[in-house]
Each structure stands twice: as C-alpha cells, then as structure tokens.
C-alpha cells in the first residue's frame, strides 16, 4: 500500500500501460484521476474499479489542449483536495514516417499529444506541488527517446523531448521536493500499433529489419511497465530524480 493517502493522475488511462497503471496505483491505495480522450472505455474502467471499492474518478480530456489539462488537474484538486503524483502517459504513434515524408499535420499531431501534453500538465502541476511542499512526476517516454531507429521522426523527436523535459524539471525543482523521472518502454503489447492503417513504406522498410534484428525476444505486458512507473512514483525511489529508465528487457543495453 505504497500510495495510501496519495492522489495520482494518469493520462492515457483507458488502454494499455495507462490502464494497467491505474489498476496498480489503486491496488496500492491511491485515489486516482483517470484521464483519456476516449470516454466509453475510460468509464468502463472507472465503474469496474469503483465496484471493487477503489477511489477513482474519470475525466475525459485531450492532453494536447491547455483548457482540458486545466480541467483534469482541477478535477484532482476539487474531488480529492490535492495531487501527489502526475503520470504523463498518453501517447500516439507516427506511422513510422521518416522526416522527408512527414506532413505538417502529422508532425503537429504527434508533437501536440506526446510532447506538448506532458509540458502542459507539468506546467500546471508544478505550482500545485510547490504549494503542497512536493510532488512526483513520471513521464512515459520510449526506447524512441533514447535512439533513432525504433519509430518515425515525429515520435522519436517527441520522446527525446520528453526525456529532456524530465531532466530539466528534475534539475530546476529537485531541491524543492519535486521528483521527475521517466520510463522508456521497449515493445509492449498494447493497442498503440504504428498509429494507423497506412504506415510509411519508407519508414517501415528501415525500422522493421532493425527491430527484428535487435529487439528482445519477448514483448512486455503493460503491467510490467506499470510496475516500473509505480516504483518511480513511490517512496522506494526517493533518491531517484531525473532518471531515464529503460524498461525494455535489455534492448538498450545491446
Ligand atoms: N506500446 C509500446 O510498445 C510502447 C513503447 C514505448 C512507449 N510507449 C508509450 O506508452 C504510452 C502508453 O501507450 P500504450 O502503448 O499503452 O498505448 P495505447 O494506445 O494502448 O494507450 C494510449 C492511450 O492514450 C490515449 N490518448 C491518445 N491521445 C490522447 C490525448 N490527446 N489525450 C488523452 N488521451 C489520449 C488513448 O486513447 C489510449 O487510451 C505512450 O506514451 C506510448 O508512446 C508505448
């Protein structure tokens, strides 16, 4: 029960890693604001957990919109009175598109969700944390935040940005009781796929052989990533700040 008396907010909560994370946090005693852009699966998760006695509130929001980010943070403070843990986890893929084929629309969509989203949430959560005397952020980056060969350009750039955001927050606010760390999952069995039905042939022909040759033999379950995020969010990681943690079965080590 590492999160008893604590309030957490998880984005991208309706599916995959976010869903497993909400389940993990409530199982360890947290009250959770579960945020997603899609309403039906989010509400189904919230109802299921409430029936089990969990403290969970659903909030439909687009993390790329500052007004929605305001709403999700206000939900935490108005329903539970505080916020202790922010998990920026919502993300979308980029069809594996290399830079010369990236449309401005694709670039802006992927950067808006994957990088602006965490920035907007951190920008609003940190003043709240400072007022409360501390707080904890865990960002879901990616193996694509560490190297260039696992996704297209927009996703790779956004996830490298999330790594930089994580380190910058750790540097600027660590002394004032705020920890900010990131996980870099490798391949995880979720719905994210490559981000749609029409992948970039040019990107896939480069990325697929690299993934086949280098990726670990086993794909992770979302719960294995959720466990690492929960660790970073917990007091067990009290001296970790600015850590960028590969959770990839040894992929980055190779
Ligand atoms: N699955 C993998 O192999 C893998 C690997 C590395 C990193 N990641 C990262 O893990 C995170 C979670 O992804 P997942 O694999 O669980 O995928 P997923 O598609 O199963 O879940 C992502 C969730 O984010 C939500 N979402 C998308 N855009 C949103 C927005 N604008 N506002 C609010 N919610 C939004 C989706 O509705 C979905 O429920 C992402 O940041 C992803 O980049 C995944």
């Amino acid at each position: 029960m590492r999160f008893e008396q604590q309030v957490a907010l998880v984005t991208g909560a309706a599916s995959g890693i976010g869903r497993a994370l909400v389940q993990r946090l409530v199982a360890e005693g947290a009250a959770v604001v579960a945020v997603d852009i899609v309403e039906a699966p989010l509400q189904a998760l919230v109802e299921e957990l409430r029936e089990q006695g969990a403290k969970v509130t659903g909030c439909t929001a687009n993390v790329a919109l500052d007004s929605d980010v305001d709403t999700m943070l206000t939900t935490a403070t108005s329903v539970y009175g505080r916020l202790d843990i922010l998990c920026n986890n919502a993300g979308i893929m980029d069809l594996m598109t290399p830079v010369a084929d990236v449309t401005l629309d694709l670039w802006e969509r992927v950067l808006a969700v994957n990088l602006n989203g965490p920035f907007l949430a951190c920008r609003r959560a940190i003043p709240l944390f400072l007022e409360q005397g501390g707080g904890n952020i865990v960002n879901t980056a990616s193996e694509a935040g560490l190297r260039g060969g696992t996704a297209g350009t927009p996703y790779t750039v956004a996830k490298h940005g999330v790594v930089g955001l994580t380190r910058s927050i750790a540097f600027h606010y660590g002394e004032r009781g705020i920890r900010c760390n990131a996980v870099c999952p490798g391949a995880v069995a979720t719905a994210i796929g490559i981000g749609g039905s029409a992948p970039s042939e040019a990107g896939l022909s480069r990325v697929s052989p690299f993934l086949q040759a280098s990726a670990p033999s086993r794909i992770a379950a979302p719960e294995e990533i959720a466990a690492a995020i929960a660790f970073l969010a917990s007091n067990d990681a009290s001296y970790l700040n600015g850590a960028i943690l590969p959770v990839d079965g040894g992929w980055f080590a190779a």
Side-chain angles (χ1 to χ4, degrees), residues 11-18 35-38 61-64 88-93 113-114 140-143 155 159 184-193:
T11 69
S15 173
I17 296 167
V35 177
D36 208 287
I37 197 166
V38 293
N62 178 356
V63 297
N88 289 307
N89 170 77
I92 56 172
M93 271 294 287
V113 177
N114 293 8
T140 306
S142 169
E143 192 83 5
Y155 187 86
K159 293 300 188 180
C184 294
V188 191
T190 72
I192 200 165

Side-chain angles (χ1 to χ4, degrees), residues 8 10 13 22 26 31-35 42-43 46 50 54-60 75-76 79-80:
V10 177
V22 173
V26 299
V32 177
V33 177
V35 177
L42 179 68
Q43 286 316 323
V46 168
R50 279 190 174 163
K55 283 189 198 157
V56 195
T57 299
C59 175
T60 309
T75 300
V79 176
Y80 298 115

Side-chain angles (χ1 to χ4, degrees), residues 40-55:
L42 179 68
Q43 286 316 323
L45 174 67
V46 168
E47 276 162 36
E48 181 190 317
L49 290 171
R50 279 190 174 163
E51 275 165 25
Q52 297 163 18
K55 283 189 198 157

Side-chain angles (χ1 to χ4, degrees), residues 129-145:
F129 289 162
L130 292 174
E131 233 173 77
Q132 289 175 182
N136 203 331
I137 300 168
V138 186
N139 294 321
T140 306
S142 169
E143 192 83 5

Side-chain angles (χ1 to χ4, degrees), residues 162-250:
V162 170
V163 167
L165 178 71
T166 302
R167 290 192 171 123
S168 177
I169 291 169
F171 167 74
H172 283 291
Y173 298 100
E175 284 179 353
R176 287 186 272 170
I178 295 175
R179 294 194 296 111
C180 183
N181 296 291
V183 290
C184 294
V188 191
T190 72
I192 200 165
I194 49 172
S197 55
S200 156
E201 289 304 321
L204 267 188
S205 68
R206 292 276 302 154
V207 174
S208 296
F210 172 72
L211 295 185
Q212 276 157 20
S214 70
S217 54
R218 183 170 76 77
I219 289 177
E223 289 75 15
E224 294 179 285
I225 314 303
I229 297 173
F231 162 68
L232 290 173
S234 79
N235 248 345
D236 288 337
S238 56
Y239 203 57
L240 271 82
N241 200 10
I244 308 300
L245 182 67
V247 189
D248 63 357

